[in-house]
Amino acid sequence: QLQLVESGGGLVHPGGSLRLSCAASGFTLDYFAIAWFRQAPGKEREGVSCISSSGSTNYVDSVKGRFTLSRDNAKNTVFLQMNSLKPEDTATYYCAAGNPFECSDYALYDYWGQGTQVTVSS
């Protein structure tokens, strides 16, 4: 059974950091593109960052220079390092797996985790 489990969310002050993890089971993660999405209350879900099966990464403009996506194949886990967090980063963060032609084709992800809450507040 293919499963994705996110962890690492929490409450952090503005300017702080968090590292989210997306652990995969039931499939080999590096055969898929993996993306992180977020959804804030009252807002649509947006794609934040992705990594292709070949290892190339993509970031939405609002997180460039602050977020870093990496993959540990031995652990079958993808990490999202989030630095210089802002209140507008507050959302539920989800990871997803799929096989889009470009990993930034965020509409084409099929398998989803349950989400982890990130709250940035003073």
Side-chain angles (χ1 to χ4, degrees):
Q1 181 179 358
L2 192 150
Q3 189 174 17
L4 296 167
V5 178
E6 303 96 332
S7 62
L11 173 63
V12 64
H13 293 309
S17 298
L18 285 173
R19 189 175 79 154
L20 304 185
S21 299
C22 172
S25 61
F27 71 105
T28 302
L29 191 147
D30 59 343
Y31 289 165
F32 288 78
I34 304 296
W36 283 95
F37 295 78
R38 65 186 179 188
Q39 186 166 22
K43 294 188 177 182
E44 292 187 356
R45 186 175 62 199
E46 66 166 340
V48 173
S49 179
C50 62
I51 184 167
S52 70
S53 57
S54 64
S56 60
T57 55
N58 184 280
Y59 301 91
V60 68
D61 285 346
S62 60
V63 307
K64 281 181 181 177
R66 300 189 299 123
F67 290 12
T68 303
L69 186 57
S70 61
R71 187 174 65 206
D72 186 329
N73 292 337
K75 295 182 178 179
N76 215 28
T77 300
V78 167
F79 301 99
L80 184 67
Q81 178 66 43
M82 306 187 298
N83 298 329
S84 302
L85 282 162
K86 305 175 180 180
E88 52 263 43
D89 294 317
T90 295
T92 302
Y93 283 70
Y94 301 88
C95 67
N99 281 300
F101 183 74
E102 298 287 347
C103 79
S104 55
D105 290 335
Y106 289 115
L108 300 179
Y109 283 81
D110 302 308
Y111 308 101
W112 294 81
Q114 82 290 349
T116 186
Q117 178 65 37
V118 171
T119 302
V120 185
S121 175
S122 55

